[in-house]
Amino acid sequence: MTEQSSSSRKKKRLRSPNDNDEHPLGRIETSTRLEDNLTFSDTLIALQLMRTQFPKLEKVVTRPFILRSQLYSSVKDRTQVDRDLEYFVLQSLKKDRVLRVFKLNTGQDDHAIMFMDDYLKQIEFSVRRSTGKNQDGNEVFEWFERYVVHSKLDVSIDHLELYSLLSHGGDASDKHITLLMNAGLLIRQLIDPNMYWFAIPSIGPILKGLSQGRKEILSLLNRRKYKEMLLCSLENTRLRLSPLDVRFHLRDLIGSGHIKTVQTPTGFLARISKD
């Protein structure tokens, strides 16, 4: 990316999309075929398009999120992806509040990116589902959104800092933190019980499907004679073990290096990576 294009990108005001919003950089085309949207030169455009292509899920209410590995598969320069995400998160902390990054509880180095508006709506849904109108301690959810979400954009937070931020709203206690964990907003770290991961609430069934879908696609390719398959054919495969669609998994597997794509006269091939 040239200095001029990078500079002009940074001057653009970022904003989190609503469902009916046009892309802040202009209208984007949303072809349904993966090979038509395999790579991008701009991280934000890739994020916006993958948000619009997030699978429509049954029985699970989850706002769209994008995996960091999916960005790696779609933007040619991985270093630029990391720089862009750092910049967008910094802008979120300053005033625009566009993105949030989460460490996923998959047992691997998985990170998800969610637009802030989507995250706040996910919090709202989770709180409505997990609390009663008169449940003691419900005020902590307002404190969490007002004093924690918008001031702490790291993927984790320690116990003392969490208490300190919540205390801006009132007399915080262990009971309040337990309510946040029960609502799926925080996950206590196993290796350090004084640290918490920020979490996307209600995402548990999807994380299970993410792991199973990865295995199912790799198993399918490993059973082929040359361990490869046309990308368009693979994309039309129906998964048995994941609520996510094949396109979602392919972007992830390509970005994580498990699958590589090779262009041929008949189209892109998806092939098991030998590295």
Side-chain angles (χ1 to χ4, degrees):
M1 183 179 292
T2 64
E3 288 186 8
Q4 181 178 358
S5 63
S6 177
S7 175
S8 63
R9 173 181 59 75
K10 291 186 178 182
K11 291 179 181 178
K12 296 181 186 295
R13 185 180 183 278
L14 304 177
R15 62 185 174 88
S16 187
N18 293 318
D19 290 331
N20 298 319
D21 275 351
E22 183 176 305
H23 186 279
L25 303 184
R27 186 175 296 278
I28 55 176
E29 299 298 324
T30 55
S31 169
T32 57
R33 296 199 315 166
L34 176 58
E35 62 183 66
D36 290 338
N37 303 123
L38 203 55
T39 58
F40 303 88
S41 60
D42 187 287
T43 303
L44 185 58
I45 290 177
L47 281 166
Q48 291 277 13
L49 185 134
M50 282 188 272
R51 178 187 181 273
T52 64
Q53 293 182 343
F54 188 79
K56 297 186 182 302
L57 305 174
E58 298 180 0
K59 302 179 181 179
V60 180
V61 181
T62 302
R63 303 293 297 180
F65 64 88
I66 301 97
L67 298 176
R68 187 191 294 263
S69 57
Q70 292 174 321
L71 282 180
Y72 287 157
S73 76
S74 302
V75 181
K76 295 178 181 180
D77 188 342
R78 292 190 176 207
T79 301
Q80 189 62 47
V81 168
D82 292 334
R83 287 174 181 166
D84 286 342
L85 286 178
E86 183 178 353
Y87 170 73
F88 296 154
V89 170
L90 180 62
Q91 288 300 101
S92 295
L93 185 59
K94 287 182 177 178
K95 58 178 180 178
D96 290 311
R97 299 173 181 170
V98 176
L99 296 179
R100 188 164 193 109
V101 179
F102 301 87
K103 173 74 171 68
L104 297 181
N105 190 26
T106 60
Q108 301 185 39
D109 188 26
D110 290 319
H111 290 79
I113 301 103
M114 185 175 262
F115 284 95
M116 187 68 82
D117 280 355
D118 288 324
Y119 175 52
L120 295 178
K121 289 175 183 176
Q122 190 74 14
I123 290 177
E124 181 183 356
F125 169 79
S126 179
V127 170
R128 285 202 313 266
R129 192 178 67 170
S130 64
T131 65
K133 289 184 179 180
N134 299 317
Q135 179 173 315
D136 187 30
N138 278 355
E139 63 274 6
V140 72
F141 298 110
E142 181 181 349
W143 302 346
F144 181 77
E145 181 177 334
R146 179 175 297 181
Y147 301 111
V148 180
V149 168
H150 293 304
S151 61
K152 184 68 175 179
L153 288 167
D154 294 338
V155 296
S156 63
I157 186 170
D158 69 62
H159 190 75
L160 291 178
E161 185 176 11
L162 178 60
Y163 255 102
S164 176
L165 291 174
L166 290 175
S167 294
H168 289 297
D171 188 13
S173 66
D174 286 345
K175 173 190 67 179
H176 289 117
I177 294 179
T178 298
L179 287 174
L180 293 173
M181 290 193 292
N182 289 344
L185 299 174
L186 295 171
I187 296 175
R188 193 188 298 272
Q189 295 187 19
L190 294 178
I191 58 174
D192 186 351
N194 289 316
M195 293 292 295
Y196 304 88
W197 298 116
F198 287 104
I200 302 173
S202 306
I203 201 176
I206 295 180
L207 295 186
K208 181 179 179 181
L210 176 62
S211 298
Q212 292 179 328
R214 286 168 170 168
K215 294 176 183 177
E216 188 173 353
I217 291 175
L218 292 175
S219 176
L220 175 63
L221 286 175
N222 273 314
R223 292 197 303 269
R224 310 283 291 195
K225 182 176 181 181
Y226 297 107
K227 302 186 186 307
E228 63 186 25
M229 191 172 174
L230 279 173
L231 191 62
C232 59
S233 298
L234 185 55
E235 192 176 356
N236 290 326
T237 302
R238 188 175 182 84
L239 296 177
R240 297 180 299 105
L241 302 176
S242 174
L244 301 162
D245 59 23
V246 174
R247 176 171 53 193
F248 187 95
H249 285 290
L250 285 175
R251 287 194 188 279
D252 165 50
L253 290 167
I254 293 168
S256 62
H258 289 90
I259 290 176
K260 65 179 180 179
T261 57
V262 180
Q263 190 166 14
T264 72
T266 56
F268 279 94
L269 278 177
R271 178 181 296 165
I272 292 288
S273 178
K274 297 179 180 179
D275 298 334

